[in-house]
Coordinates of all heavy atoms in Angstrom, one line a residue:
M1 N 0.3 -40.6 -26.8 CA 0.9 -39.4 -26.4 C 1.5 -39.5 -25.0 O 1.9 -40.6 -24.6 CB -0.1 -38.2 -26.5 CG 0.5 -36.9 -26.6 SD -0.6 -35.8 -27.5 CE 0.2 -34.3 -27.3
G2 N 1.6 -38.5 -24.2 CA 2.1 -38.6 -22.9 C 1.4 -37.7 -21.9 O 0.6 -36.9 -22.3
T3 N 1.7 -37.8 -20.7 CA 1.2 -36.9 -19.6 C 2.2 -35.9 -19.2 O 3.3 -36.3 -19.0 CB 0.8 -37.8 -18.4 OG1 -0.1 -38.8 -18.8 CG2 0.1 -36.9 -17.4
F4 N 1.8 -34.7 -19.2 CA 2.7 -33.6 -18.9 C 2.5 -33.2 -17.4 O 1.4 -32.9 -17.0 CB 2.5 -32.3 -19.7 CG 2.8 -32.6 -21.2 CD1 1.9 -32.9 -22.1 CD2 4.1 -32.5 -21.6 CE1 2.2 -33.2 -23.4 CE2 4.4 -32.7 -22.9 CZ 3.5 -33.1 -23.8
V5 N 3.6 -33.2 -16.6 CA 3.5 -32.9 -15.2 C 3.4 -31.4 -15.1 O 2.6 -30.9 -14.2 CB 4.7 -33.4 -14.5 CG1 4.7 -33.0 -13.0 CG2 4.8 -34.9 -14.6
N6 N 4.1 -30.6 -15.9 CA 4.0 -29.2 -15.8 C 3.3 -28.6 -17.0 O 3.9 -28.4 -18.1 CB 5.4 -28.6 -15.8 CG 6.1 -28.9 -14.4 OD1 5.5 -29.0 -13.4 ND2 7.4 -29.0 -14.5
P7 N 2.0 -28.5 -16.9 CA 1.2 -28.1 -18.1 C 1.3 -26.6 -18.4 O 0.7 -26.1 -19.4 CB -0.2 -28.4 -17.7 CG -0.2 -28.3 -16.2 CD 1.1 -28.7 -15.8
G8 N 2.0 -25.8 -17.7 CA 2.1 -24.4 -18.0 C 1.0 -23.6 -17.4 O 0.3 -24.1 -16.5
M9 N 0.8 -22.4 -17.9 CA -0.3 -21.5 -17.2 C -1.3 -21.1 -18.2 O -2.1 -20.2 -17.9 CB 0.4 -20.4 -16.5 CG 1.2 -19.4 -17.4 SD 2.0 -18.1 -16.5 CE 0.7 -17.4 -15.6
V10 N -1.4 -21.7 -19.4 CA -2.4 -21.2 -20.4 C -3.8 -21.3 -19.9 O -4.6 -20.4 -20.1 CB -2.1 -22.0 -21.7 CG1 -3.2 -21.6 -22.7 CG2 -0.7 -21.7 -22.3
K11 N -4.1 -22.5 -19.3 CA -5.5 -22.7 -18.9 C -5.9 -21.7 -17.8 O -7.0 -21.2 -17.7 CB -5.7 -24.1 -18.4 CG -5.7 -25.1 -19.5 CD -5.9 -26.5 -18.9 CE -5.9 -27.6 -20.0 NZ -6.1 -28.9 -19.5
F12 N -5.0 -21.5 -16.8 CA -5.3 -20.5 -15.7 C -5.3 -19.1 -16.3 O -6.2 -18.3 -15.8 CB -4.2 -20.7 -14.7 CG -4.5 -19.7 -13.5 CD1 -5.6 -19.9 -12.8 CD2 -3.6 -18.8 -13.2 CE1 -5.9 -19.0 -11.7 CE2 -3.8 -17.9 -12.1 CZ -5.0 -18.0 -11.4
E13 N -4.5 -18.8 -17.2 CA -4.5 -17.4 -17.7 C -5.8 -17.2 -18.4 O -6.4 -16.1 -18.4 CB -3.3 -17.2 -18.7 CG -3.1 -15.8 -19.1 CD -1.8 -15.7 -19.9 OE1 -1.3 -16.7 -20.5 OE2 -1.3 -14.6 -20.0
T14 N -6.3 -18.2 -19.1 CA -7.6 -18.1 -19.8 C -8.8 -17.8 -18.8 O -9.6 -17.0 -19.0 CB -7.9 -19.3 -20.6 OG1 -6.9 -19.5 -21.6 CG2 -9.3 -19.2 -21.3
A15 N -8.7 -18.6 -17.7 CA -9.7 -18.4 -16.6 C -9.7 -17.0 -16.0 O -10.7 -16.4 -15.7 CB -9.5 -19.5 -15.5
V16 N -8.5 -16.5 -15.7 CA -8.3 -15.2 -15.1 C -8.8 -14.1 -16.0 O -9.4 -13.1 -15.6 CB -6.8 -14.9 -14.7 CG1 -6.6 -13.5 -14.3 CG2 -6.4 -15.9 -13.6
N17 N -8.6 -14.3 -17.3 CA -9.1 -13.3 -18.3 C -10.6 -13.4 -18.6 O -11.1 -12.6 -19.3 CB -8.3 -13.4 -19.6 CG -6.9 -13.0 -19.4 OD1 -6.5 -12.2 -18.5 ND2 -6.0 -13.6 -20.1
S18 N -11.3 -14.4 -18.0 CA -12.7 -14.5 -18.2 C -13.5 -13.4 -17.5 O -12.9 -12.8 -16.5 CB -13.2 -15.9 -17.8 OG -12.5 -16.9 -18.5
E19 N -14.7 -13.3 -17.8 CA -15.5 -12.2 -17.2 C -15.8 -12.5 -15.7 O -15.7 -11.6 -14.9 CB -16.9 -12.1 -17.9 CG -17.7 -10.9 -17.5 CD -18.9 -10.8 -18.4 OE1 -18.8 -11.0 -19.6 OE2 -20.0 -10.4 -17.8
I20 N -16.0 -13.8 -15.4 CA -16.2 -14.2 -14.0 C -15.1 -15.0 -13.5 O -14.9 -16.1 -14.0 CB -17.5 -14.9 -13.9 CG1 -18.7 -14.1 -14.4 CG2 -17.7 -15.4 -12.5 CD1 -20.0 -14.8 -14.4
Y21 N -14.3 -14.5 -12.6 CA -13.2 -15.2 -12.0 C -13.2 -14.9 -10.5 O -13.2 -13.7 -10.1 CB -11.9 -14.9 -12.6 CG -10.7 -15.6 -11.8 CD1 -10.5 -16.9 -11.9 CD2 -10.0 -14.8 -10.9 CE1 -9.5 -17.6 -11.2 CE2 -9.0 -15.4 -10.2 CZ -8.8 -16.8 -10.3 OH -7.8 -17.4 -9.6
V22 N -13.2 -15.9 -9.6 CA -13.1 -15.7 -8.2 C -11.7 -16.1 -7.7 O -11.2 -17.2 -8.0 CB -14.2 -16.5 -7.5 CG1 -14.1 -16.4 -6.0 CG2 -15.6 -16.2 -8.0
D23 N -11.1 -15.1 -7.0 CA -9.7 -15.4 -6.5 C -9.7 -16.4 -5.4 O -10.3 -16.2 -4.3 CB -9.1 -14.0 -6.0 CG -7.7 -14.2 -5.4 OD1 -7.1 -15.3 -5.7 OD2 -7.2 -13.3 -4.8
K24 N -9.1 -17.5 -5.7 CA -9.0 -18.6 -4.7 C -7.6 -18.9 -4.4 O -7.2 -20.0 -4.0 CB -9.8 -19.9 -5.1 CG -11.2 -19.7 -5.3 CD -11.9 -20.9 -5.8 CE -13.4 -20.6 -6.0 NZ -14.1 -21.7 -6.5
S25 N -6.7 -17.9 -4.5 CA -5.3 -18.1 -4.4 C -4.9 -18.3 -2.9 O -3.7 -18.6 -2.7 CB -4.5 -17.0 -5.0 OG -4.8 -15.7 -4.4
G26 N -5.8 -18.1 -2.0 CA -5.4 -18.4 -0.6 C -5.0 -19.8 -0.4 O -4.2 -20.1 0.6
I27 N -5.5 -20.7 -1.2 CA -5.0 -22.1 -1.0 C -3.5 -22.3 -1.3 O -2.9 -23.1 -0.7 CB -5.9 -23.1 -1.9 CG1 -5.7 -24.5 -1.4 CG2 -5.5 -22.9 -3.4 CD1 -6.7 -25.5 -2.0
I28 N -3.0 -21.4 -2.1 CA -1.5 -21.5 -2.4 C -0.8 -21.1 -1.1 O 0.3 -21.7 -0.8 CB -1.1 -20.6 -3.6 CG1 -1.8 -21.1 -4.9 CG2 0.4 -20.6 -3.7 CD1 -1.6 -20.3 -6.1
E29 N -1.2 -20.1 -0.4 CA -0.6 -19.8 0.8 C -0.5 -20.9 1.8 O 0.5 -21.2 2.5 CB -1.3 -18.6 1.5 CG -0.6 -18.0 2.6 CD -1.2 -16.7 3.1 OE1 -2.2 -16.3 2.6 OE2 -0.6 -16.1 4.0
Y30 N -1.7 -21.7 1.9 CA -1.7 -22.9 2.7 C -0.8 -23.9 2.2 O 0.0 -24.5 3.0 CB -3.1 -23.4 2.8 CG -3.2 -24.7 3.6 CD1 -3.0 -24.7 5.0 CD2 -3.3 -25.9 2.9 CE1 -3.0 -25.9 5.7 CE2 -3.3 -27.1 3.6 CZ -3.2 -27.1 5.0 OH -3.1 -28.3 5.7
L31 N -0.7 -24.2 0.9 CA 0.1 -25.2 0.4 C 1.6 -24.8 0.6 O 2.4 -25.7 1.0 CB -0.1 -25.3 -1.2 CG -1.4 -25.9 -1.6 CD1 -1.6 -25.8 -3.1 CD2 -1.5 -27.3 -1.1
N32 N 1.9 -23.5 0.5 CA 3.3 -23.1 0.8 C 3.7 -23.4 2.3 O 4.8 -23.7 2.6 CB 3.5 -21.6 0.5 CG 3.5 -21.3 -0.9 OD1 3.7 -22.2 -1.8 ND2 3.3 -20.0 -1.3
S33 N 2.7 -23.3 3.2 CA 3.0 -23.5 4.6 C 3.2 -25.0 4.9 O 3.8 -25.3 6.0 CB 1.9 -22.9 5.5 OG 0.7 -23.7 5.4
V34 N 2.7 -25.9 4.1 CA 2.8 -27.3 4.4 C 3.9 -28.1 3.6 O 4.1 -29.3 3.7 CB 1.5 -28.1 4.3 CG1 0.5 -27.5 5.4 CG2 0.9 -28.0 3.0
I35 N 4.5 -27.3 2.7 CA 5.6 -28.0 1.8 C 6.7 -28.5 2.8 O 7.1 -27.8 3.7 CB 6.1 -27.0 0.8 CG1 5.1 -26.7 -0.2 CG2 7.4 -27.5 0.2 CD1 5.5 -25.6 -1.2
N36 N 7.1 -29.7 2.5 CA 8.2 -30.3 3.3 C 7.8 -30.5 4.7 O 8.7 -30.4 5.6 CB 9.5 -29.5 3.1 CG 10.0 -29.5 1.7 OD1 9.9 -30.5 1.0 ND2 10.7 -28.4 1.3
T37 N 6.6 -30.8 5.0 CA 6.1 -31.2 6.3 C 5.4 -32.5 6.2 O 5.1 -33.0 5.1 CB 5.2 -30.1 7.0 OG1 4.0 -30.1 6.2 CG2 5.8 -28.8 7.0
K38 N 5.0 -33.1 7.3 CA 4.2 -34.3 7.2 C 2.8 -34.1 6.8 O 2.0 -35.0 6.5 CB 4.2 -35.0 8.6 CG 5.6 -35.6 8.9 CD 5.6 -36.5 10.1 CE 6.9 -37.1 10.3 NZ 6.9 -38.3 11.0
S39 N 2.4 -32.8 6.8 CA 1.0 -32.4 6.4 C 0.9 -32.1 4.9 O -0.1 -31.5 4.5 CB 0.6 -31.2 7.2 OG 0.6 -31.5 8.6
K40 N 1.9 -32.4 4.2 CA 2.0 -32.0 2.8 C 0.9 -32.7 1.9 O 0.7 -32.3 0.8 CB 3.4 -32.2 2.2 CG 3.8 -33.7 2.1 CD 5.2 -33.7 1.6 CE 5.8 -35.1 1.7 NZ 7.2 -35.2 1.3
Y41 N 0.3 -33.8 2.3 CA -0.7 -34.5 1.6 C -2.1 -33.9 2.0 O -2.5 -34.1 3.1 CB -0.6 -36.0 1.8 CG 0.7 -36.6 1.5 CD1 1.6 -37.0 2.5 CD2 1.1 -36.7 0.1 CE1 2.8 -37.5 2.1 CE2 2.4 -37.2 -0.2 CZ 3.2 -37.6 0.8 OH 4.4 -38.1 0.5
I42 N -2.7 -33.3 1.0 CA -4.0 -32.6 1.3 C -5.0 -33.1 0.3 O -4.7 -33.6 -0.8 CB -3.9 -31.1 1.3 CG1 -3.6 -30.6 -0.1 CG2 -2.9 -30.6 2.3 CD1 -3.9 -29.1 -0.3
C43 N -6.3 -33.0 0.7 CA -7.4 -33.4 -0.2 C -8.3 -32.2 -0.3 O -8.8 -31.7 0.8 CB -8.1 -34.6 0.4 SG -9.5 -35.1 -0.6
V44 N -8.6 -31.7 -1.4 CA -9.5 -30.6 -1.6 C -10.8 -31.1 -2.1 O -10.9 -31.7 -3.2 CB -8.9 -29.6 -2.7 CG1 -9.9 -28.4 -2.9 CG2 -7.6 -29.1 -2.2
L45 N -11.8 -31.0 -1.3 CA -13.2 -31.5 -1.6 C -14.1 -30.3 -1.8 O -14.2 -29.4 -0.9 CB -13.7 -32.4 -0.5 CG -12.9 -33.6 -0.2 CD1 -13.5 -34.3 1.1 CD2 -13.0 -34.6 -1.3
R46 N -14.7 -30.2 -2.9 CA -15.7 -29.2 -3.2 C -16.8 -29.8 -4.0 O -16.6 -30.8 -4.7 CB -15.1 -28.1 -4.0 CG -14.1 -27.3 -3.2 CD -13.7 -26.0 -4.0 NE -12.7 -25.3 -3.2 CZ -11.8 -24.5 -3.7 NH1 -11.8 -24.3 -5.0 NH2 -10.9 -23.9 -2.9
P47 N -18.0 -29.3 -3.9 CA -19.1 -29.8 -4.7 C -18.9 -29.6 -6.2 O -18.0 -28.9 -6.6 CB -20.3 -29.0 -4.3 CG -19.9 -28.3 -3.0 CD -18.4 -28.2 -3.0
R48 N -19.7 -30.3 -7.0 CA -19.6 -30.2 -8.4 C -19.8 -28.7 -8.8 O -20.5 -28.0 -8.3 CB -20.7 -31.0 -9.0 CG -20.6 -31.4 -10.4 CD -21.7 -32.3 -10.8 NE -23.0 -31.8 -10.4 CZ -24.1 -32.2 -10.9 NH1 -24.2 -33.2 -11.7 NH2 -25.3 -31.7 -10.5
R49 N -19.0 -28.3 -9.8 CA -19.0 -27.0 -10.4 C -18.6 -25.9 -9.5 O -19.0 -24.7 -9.6 CB -20.4 -26.6 -10.9 CG -21.1 -27.7 -11.8 CD -20.6 -27.8 -13.1 NE -20.6 -26.5 -13.9 CZ -19.9 -26.3 -14.9 NH1 -19.0 -27.1 -15.3 NH2 -20.0 -25.1 -15.5
F50 N -17.7 -26.2 -8.5 CA -17.1 -25.2 -7.6 C -15.7 -24.9 -7.8 O -15.0 -24.4 -6.9 CB -17.4 -25.6 -6.2 CG -18.6 -25.1 -5.6 CD1 -19.9 -25.6 -6.0 CD2 -18.6 -24.1 -4.6 CE1 -21.0 -25.1 -5.5 CE2 -19.8 -23.6 -4.1 CZ -21.0 -24.1 -4.5
G51 N -15.1 -25.1 -9.0 CA -13.8 -24.7 -9.4 C -12.6 -25.5 -9.0 O -11.5 -25.0 -8.9
K52 N -12.8 -26.8 -8.9 CA -11.7 -27.7 -8.6 C -10.7 -27.7 -9.7 O -9.5 -27.6 -9.5 CB -12.2 -29.1 -8.3 CG -13.0 -29.3 -7.1 CD -13.5 -30.7 -6.9 CE -14.5 -31.2 -7.9 NZ -15.8 -30.6 -7.9
T53 N -11.1 -27.7 -11.0 CA -10.2 -27.7 -12.1 C -9.5 -26.4 -12.2 O -8.2 -26.4 -12.5 CB -10.9 -28.1 -13.4 OG1 -11.6 -29.4 -13.2 CG2 -10.0 -28.1 -14.6
T54 N -10.2 -25.3 -12.0 CA -9.6 -24.0 -12.1 C -8.5 -23.8 -11.0 O -7.5 -23.3 -11.2 CB -10.6 -22.9 -12.0 OG1 -11.6 -23.1 -13.1 CG2 -10.0 -21.5 -12.1
T55 N -8.9 -24.4 -9.8 CA -7.9 -24.3 -8.7 C -6.7 -25.1 -9.0 O -5.5 -24.7 -8.7 CB -8.6 -24.8 -7.4 OG1 -9.7 -24.0 -7.1 CG2 -7.6 -24.7 -6.2
A56 N -6.9 -26.3 -9.6 CA -5.7 -27.1 -10.0 C -4.9 -26.4 -11.0 O -3.6 -26.4 -11.0 CB -6.2 -28.5 -10.5
D57 N -5.5 -25.8 -12.0 CA -4.8 -25.0 -13.0 C -4.0 -23.8 -12.4 O -2.9 -23.5 -12.8 CB -5.7 -24.4 -14.1 CG -6.3 -25.5 -14.9 OD1 -5.8 -26.6 -15.0 OD2 -7.4 -25.2 -15.5
M58 N -4.6 -23.2 -11.4 CA -3.9 -22.1 -10.7 C -2.6 -22.6 -9.9 O -1.6 -22.0 -10.0 CB -4.8 -21.5 -9.7 CG -4.2 -20.4 -8.8 SD -5.3 -19.8 -7.5 CE -5.6 -21.2 -6.6
V59 N -2.8 -23.8 -9.2 CA -1.6 -24.4 -8.5 C -0.5 -24.7 -9.5 O 0.6 -24.5 -9.3 CB -2.1 -25.6 -7.7 CG1 -0.9 -26.3 -7.1 CG2 -3.0 -25.1 -6.6
C60 N -0.9 -25.3 -10.6 CA 0.1 -25.7 -11.7 C 0.8 -24.5 -12.2 O 2.0 -24.5 -12.4 CB -0.6 -26.4 -12.8 SG -1.1 -28.1 -12.4
A61 N 0.1 -23.4 -12.5 CA 0.7 -22.2 -13.0 C 1.6 -21.5 -12.0 O 2.7 -21.0 -12.3 CB -0.4 -21.2 -13.3
Y62 N 1.3 -21.6 -10.7 CA 2.1 -21.0 -9.7 C 3.4 -21.8 -9.4 O 4.5 -21.2 -9.4 CB 1.3 -20.9 -8.3 CG 2.1 -20.3 -7.2 CD1 2.3 -19.0 -7.1 CD2 2.7 -21.2 -6.2 CE1 3.1 -18.4 -6.1 CE2 3.4 -20.6 -5.2 CZ 3.6 -19.3 -5.1 OH 4.3 -18.7 -4.1
Y63 N 3.3 -23.1 -9.4 CA 4.5 -23.9 -9.1 C 5.3 -24.3 -10.3 O 6.4 -24.8 -10.1 CB 4.1 -25.1 -8.3 CG 3.7 -24.8 -6.9 CD1 2.4 -25.0 -6.5 CD2 4.6 -24.4 -5.9 CE1 2.0 -24.8 -5.2 CE2 4.2 -24.1 -4.6 CZ 2.9 -24.3 -4.2 OH 2.6 -24.0 -3.0
D64 N 4.8 -24.2 -11.5 CA 5.4 -24.6 -12.7 C 6.8 -23.9 -12.9 O 6.8 -22.7 -13.1 CB 4.5 -24.4 -13.9 CG 5.0 -25.1 -15.1 OD1 6.1 -25.6 -15.1 OD2 4.3 -25.2 -16.1
S65 N 7.8 -24.7 -12.9 CA 9.2 -24.2 -13.1 C 9.5 -23.8 -14.6 O 10.5 -23.1 -14.8 CB 10.2 -25.1 -12.6 OG 10.2 -26.3 -13.3
S66 N 8.7 -24.2 -15.5 CA 8.9 -23.9 -16.9 C 8.3 -22.6 -17.3 O 8.5 -22.1 -18.4 CB 8.4 -25.0 -17.8 OG 7.0 -25.1 -17.8
V67 N 7.5 -22.0 -16.4 CA 6.8 -20.7 -16.7 C 7.8 -19.5 -16.3 O 8.4 -19.6 -15.3 CB 5.5 -20.6 -15.9 CG1 4.9 -19.2 -16.1 CG2 4.5 -21.7 -16.4
D68 N 7.8 -18.5 -17.2 CA 8.7 -17.4 -16.9 C 8.1 -16.7 -15.6 O 7.0 -16.4 -15.5 CB 8.6 -16.4 -18.1 CG 9.4 -15.1 -17.9 OD1 10.4 -15.2 -17.2 OD2 8.9 -14.1 -18.3
S69 N 9.0 -16.4 -14.7 CA 8.6 -15.9 -13.4 C 8.0 -14.5 -13.5 O 7.1 -14.1 -12.7 CB 9.7 -15.9 -12.4 OG 10.8 -15.0 -12.8
D70 N 8.4 -13.7 -14.5 CA 7.9 -12.3 -14.6 C 6.4 -12.4 -15.1 O 5.5 -11.7 -14.7 CB 8.7 -11.5 -15.6 CG 10.0 -11.1 -15.0 OD1 10.1 -11.0 -13.8 OD2 11.0 -10.9 -15.8
K71 N 6.2 -13.4 -16.1 CA 4.8 -13.5 -16.6 C 3.9 -14.1 -15.5 O 2.8 -13.7 -15.3 CB 4.8 -14.5 -17.8 CG 3.5 -14.6 -18.4 CD 3.5 -15.5 -19.7 CE 2.2 -15.5 -20.3 NZ 2.1 -16.2 -21.5
C72 N 4.4 -15.0 -14.7 CA 3.7 -15.6 -13.6 C 3.4 -14.5 -12.5 O 2.2 -14.4 -12.0 CB 4.4 -16.7 -13.0 SG 3.5 -17.7 -11.7
R73 N 4.3 -13.7 -12.2 CA 4.1 -12.6 -11.3 C 3.0 -11.6 -11.7 O 2.2 -11.2 -11.0 CB 5.4 -11.8 -11.0 CG 5.4 -10.8 -9.9 CD 6.7 -10.1 -9.7 NE 7.7 -11.1 -9.3 CZ 8.8 -11.4 -10.1 NH1 8.9 -10.8 -11.2 NH2 9.7 -12.3 -9.6
H74 N 3.0 -11.4 -13.0 CA 2.0 -10.5 -13.6 C 0.6 -11.0 -13.4 O -0.3 -10.3 -13.1 CB 2.3 -10.2 -15.1 CG 1.3 -9.4 -15.8 ND1 1.1 -8.1 -15.6 CD2 0.3 -9.8 -16.7 CE1 0.1 -7.7 -16.3 NE2 -0.4 -8.7 -17.0
I75 N 0.4 -12.3 -13.6 CA -0.9 -13.0 -13.5 C -1.4 -12.9 -12.0 O -2.5 -12.7 -11.7 CB -0.9 -14.4 -14.0 CG1 -0.6 -14.5 -15.5 CG2 -2.1 -15.2 -13.6 CD1 -1.7 -13.9 -16.3
F76 N -0.4 -13.1 -11.1 CA -0.8 -13.3 -9.7 C -0.7 -11.9 -8.9 O -1.1 -11.9 -7.7 CB 0.1 -14.3 -9.0 CG -0.2 -15.7 -9.3 CD1 0.5 -16.4 -10.3 CD2 -1.3 -16.4 -8.7 CE1 0.2 -17.7 -10.6 CE2 -1.6 -17.7 -9.1 CZ -0.8 -18.3 -10.0
E77 N -0.3 -10.9 -9.5 CA 0.0 -9.7 -8.7 C -1.2 -9.0 -8.0 O -1.1 -8.4 -7.0 CB 0.7 -8.6 -9.6 CG -0.1 -8.0 -10.7 CD 0.8 -7.1 -11.6 OE1 1.9 -6.9 -11.3 OE2 0.2 -6.6 -12.5
D78 N -2.4 -9.2 -8.6 CA -3.6 -8.6 -8.0 C -4.4 -9.6 -7.1 O -5.4 -9.3 -6.6 CB -4.5 -8.1 -9.1 CG -3.9 -6.9 -9.8 OD1 -3.1 -6.2 -9.2 OD2 -4.2 -6.8 -11.0
M79 N -3.8 -10.7 -6.9 CA -4.5 -11.8 -6.1 C -4.0 -11.8 -4.7 O -2.9 -11.2 -4.3 CB -4.3 -13.1 -6.7 CG -4.9 -13.2 -8.1 SD -4.7 -14.9 -8.7 CE -5.3 -14.6 -10.4
R80 N -4.7 -12.5 -3.8 CA -4.4 -12.6 -2.4 C -3.0 -13.2 -2.1 O -2.3 -12.7 -1.2 CB -5.5 -13.5 -1.8 CG -5.3 -13.7 -0.3 CD -6.4 -14.5 0.3 NE -6.1 -14.9 1.6 CZ -6.9 -15.7 2.3 NH1 -8.0 -16.2 1.8 NH2 -6.5 -16.0 3.5
I81 N -2.6 -14.1 -2.9 CA -1.3 -14.8 -2.7 C -0.1 -13.8 -2.9 O 0.9 -14.0 -2.2 CB -1.1 -16.0 -3.6 CG1 0.2 -16.8 -3.3 CG2 -1.1 -15.7 -5.1 CD1 0.2 -17.3 -1.9
A82 N -0.3 -12.8 -3.7 CA 0.8 -11.8 -3.9 C 1.2 -11.1 -2.7 O 2.3 -10.6 -2.5 CB 0.4 -10.9 -5.0
K83 N 0.2 -11.0 -1.7 CA 0.5 -10.3 -0.5 C 1.1 -11.1 0.6 O 1.6 -10.6 1.6 CB -0.8 -9.7 0.0 CG -1.4 -8.6 -0.9 CD -2.8 -8.3 -0.5 CE -3.5 -7.4 -1.5 NZ -3.8 -7.9 -2.8
A84 N 1.2 -12.4 0.3 CA 1.8 -13.4 1.3 C 3.3 -13.3 1.3 O 3.9 -13.1 0.2 CB 1.3 -14.8 1.0
S85 N 3.9 -13.6 2.4 CA 5.4 -13.5 2.5 C 6.0 -14.7 1.7 O 7.2 -14.6 1.3 CB 5.8 -13.6 4.0 OG 5.3 -14.8 4.6
S86 N 5.3 -15.8 1.5 CA 5.8 -16.9 0.8 C 5.7 -16.9 -0.7 O 6.1 -17.8 -1.4 CB 5.1 -18.2 1.3 OG 3.7 -18.2 1.1
F87 N 5.1 -15.8 -1.2 CA 4.8 -15.7 -2.6 C 6.1 -15.8 -3.5 O 6.2 -16.7 -4.3 CB 4.1 -14.4 -3.0 CG 3.9 -14.2 -4.4 CD1 3.0 -15.0 -5.1 CD2 4.5 -13.2 -5.1 CE1 2.8 -14.8 -6.5 CE2 4.3 -13.0 -6.5 CZ 3.4 -13.8 -7.1
E88 N 7.1 -15.0 -3.3 CA 8.3 -15.0 -4.1 C 9.1 -16.2 -3.9 O 9.7 -16.7 -4.9 CB 9.1 -13.7 -3.7 CG 8.5 -12.4 -4.1 CD 8.5 -12.2 -5.6 OE1 9.4 -12.6 -6.3 OE2 7.6 -11.5 -6.1
S89 N 9.3 -16.7 -2.7 CA 10.2 -17.8 -2.4 C 9.7 -19.1 -3.0 O 10.5 -20.0 -3.3 CB 10.4 -18.0 -0.9 OG 9.2 -18.2 -0.3
N90 N 8.4 -19.3 -3.2 CA 7.9 -20.6 -3.7 C 7.4 -20.5 -5.1 O 7.1 -21.5 -5.7 CB 6.7 -21.1 -2.8 CG 7.2 -21.5 -1.5 OD1 8.1 -22.4 -1.4 ND2 6.7 -20.9 -0.4
Q91 N 7.3 -19.3 -5.7 CA 6.8 -19.2 -7.1 C 7.8 -19.9 -8.0 O 9.0 -19.7 -7.9 CB 6.7 -17.7 -7.4 CG 6.3 -17.4 -8.8 CD 6.4 -15.9 -9.1 OE1 7.0 -15.1 -8.4 NE2 5.9 -15.5 -10.2
N92 N 7.2 -20.6 -8.9 CA 8.0 -21.4 -9.9 C 9.0 -22.3 -9.3 O 10.0 -22.6 -9.8 CB 8.8 -20.4 -10.9 CG 7.9 -19.4 -11.6 OD1 7.9 -18.3 -11.2 ND2 7.0 -19.9 -12.5
A93 N 8.6 -22.8 -8.1 CA 9.5 -23.7 -7.4 C 9.6 -25.1 -8.0 O 10.5 -25.9 -7.7 CB 9.1 -23.8 -5.9
G94 N 8.6 -25.5 -8.8 CA 8.6 -26.9 -9.3 C 8.1 -27.9 -8.2 O 7.7 -27.5 -7.2
V95 N 8.3 -29.1 -8.6 CA 7.8 -30.2 -7.7 C 9.0 -30.5 -6.7 O 10.1 -30.7 -7.2 CB 7.4 -31.4 -8.5 CG1 7.0 -32.6 -7.6 CG2 6.2 -31.0 -9.4
R96 N 8.7 -30.6 -5.5 CA 9.6 -31.1 -4.5 C 9.2 -32.4 -3.9 O 8.1 -32.6 -3.7 CB 9.7 -30.0 -3.3 CG 10.2 -28.7 -3.8 CD 10.1 -27.7 -2.7 NE 10.4 -26.4 -3.1 CZ 10.3 -25.3 -2.4 NH1 9.9 -25.4 -1.2 NH2 10.6 -24.1 -2.9
S97 N 10.2 -33.2 -3.6 CA 9.9 -34.5 -3.0 C 10.0 -34.5 -1.5 O 10.6 -33.6 -0.9 CB 10.8 -35.6 -3.6 OG 12.1 -35.3 -3.4

């Protein structure tokens, strides 16, 4: 098969609709601030079972250019990132080099 760079937002949407979900969208605000800078390479270290995969799914859902922006906005509208000034400008921006 193949590896998909833009996996969509199905996994993140499932996590958000779960009974227990903790908003960690503040990391997206930080990622938006380091895009196109020399600090763009980051490493997220967390202990086992602390949501690394869910955070990665959230980042994929936010930046994925194949996801409808209205649907993406609906998922993120109650989260911390929706209040940030960089929310609209970087949403569905895709991968930048």
